[in-house]
Amino acid sequence: GAVVSQHPSRVICKSGTSVKIECRSLDFQATTMFWYRQFPKQSLMLMATSNEGSKATYEQGVEKDKFLINHASLTLSTLTVTSAHPEDSSFYICSARVGGTGTDTQYFGPGTRLTVL
Amino acid sequence: QQPVQSPQAVILREGEDAVINCSSSKALYSVHWYRQKHGEAPVFLMILLKGGEQKGHEKISASFNEKKQQSSLYLTASQLSYSGTYFCGTNLFTTSGTYKYIFGTGTRLKVLA
């Protein structure tokens, strides 16, 4: 089956530093990747949609200058949290999709737990 | 835009049944159901593609009413392992002509021995 990996799985950083999270589709090419953020006891909220070779589409309320997304290839998307602050501490999950119809299935990465001190 | 799930939380005794509903204000082209354990990524349970479709996965089944823009997940004879948070997910058509994938509000389910 389709596998999506995320790295790192867990990261602790100091306030003000930047953190990069990688999302890779290991055995398929993903036309689109999505980034989600999940706070404790809440749902997964879509942050942005990333298409290979083009700029990411951010959801309302998500700062594009703070959450930099790069989708350099069909198998790799990165999310960089710039100048991280404690309120950015969260569980970040990526997903990858093949195709662009309303019935496509998502394949999720295992998630990255970010803790900002 | 986010599909609303009900109930928000439910507590069951082992062996009891539960129904989780997912209702959308937008058209649903497909519905996915997931279960998430604490600290882990969501685990895919099943996908429903056609209006009226019903599917089963062991003692977990689901239905999809496209006209009502609703889906329901049925858990029968619940087991301790069913505990977790359940999410519905769907592709939402955007004004730019593409689809984005969003999750429902979630339902926390706890099964007691």
Side-chain angles (χ1 to χ4, degrees):
Chain A
V3 178
V4 175
S5 70
Q6 265 184 257
H7 178 80
S9 58
R10 191 178 291 268
V11 58
I12 301 173
C13 69
K14 291 183 178 180
S15 184
T17 60
S18 294
V19 174
K20 180 185 282 188
I21 302 170
E22 289 187 350
C23 177
R24 292 181 185 271
S25 56
L26 298 183
D27 49 3
F28 67 101
Q29 293 185 327
T31 52
T32 305
M33 288 185 172
F34 300 94
W35 287 96
Y36 299 87
R37 179 170 54 183
Q38 186 179 33
F39 293 108
K41 296 186 178 180
Q42 294 187 23
S43 182
L44 295 93
M45 300 307 296
L46 179 64
M47 298 175 66
T49 302
S50 170
N51 291 294
E52 185 266 340
S54 62
K55 289 183 179 180
T57 302
Y58 290 82
E59 293 299 298
Q60 196 171 13
V62 178
E63 300 174 58
K64 59 181 66 177
D65 293 331
K66 181 169 182 63
F67 299 99
L68 301 178
I69 292 173
N70 183 277
H71 197 155
S73 74
L74 286 171
T75 59
L76 174 64
S77 177
T78 60
L79 168 68
T80 301
V81 183
T82 62
S83 187
H85 291 285
E87 58 265 30
D88 298 323
S89 298
S90 187
F91 192 47
Y92 292 86
I93 302 177
C94 70
S95 72
R97 181 179 74 188
V98 178
T101 72
T103 58
D104 293 321
T105 297
Q106 309 289 319
Y107 300 97
F108 288 90
T112 297
R113 175 78 58 190
L114 170 64
T115 302
V116 184
L117 303 176
Chain B
Q1 287 187 340
Q2 185 178 28
V4 177
Q5 289 181 230
S6 62
Q8 289 184 327
V10 58
I11 299 175
L12 301 172
R13 290 281 178 191
E14 216 173 352
E16 291 182 339
D17 303 338
V19 179
I20 299 172
N21 300 301
C22 172
S23 182
S24 174
S25 60
K26 303 283 185 180
L28 293 173
Y29 301 94
S30 64
V31 178
H32 306 78
W33 283 97
Y34 301 86
R35 178 170 58 216
Q36 185 181 31
K37 299 282 187 178
H38 180 68
E40 300 176 6
V43 173
F44 173 75
L45 294 176
M46 65 187 76
I47 178 174
L48 298 108
L49 295 174
K50 299 178 184 177
E53 182 176 25
Q54 295 193 29
K55 272 196 170 181
H57 177 71
E58 296 180 345
K59 293 179 182 177
I60 301 174
S61 61
S63 63
F64 177 24
N65 188 321
E66 196 174 356
K67 287 185 179 179
K68 291 186 177 181
Q69 296 172 179
Q70 292 177 345
S71 178
S72 295
L73 185 72
Y74 306 94
L75 302 151
T76 58
S78 59
Q79 305 168 13
L80 294 175
S81 61
Y82 287 2
S83 293
T85 303
Y86 290 79
F87 294 100
C88 60
T90 188
N91 286 295
L92 195 67
F93 190 66
T94 69
T95 54
S96 60
T98 60
Y99 289 91
K100 63 181 181 182
Y101 194 84
I102 60 173
F103 287 91
T105 51
T107 297
R108 292 193 306 279
L109 186 141
K110 187 168 181 62
V111 180
L112 303 175

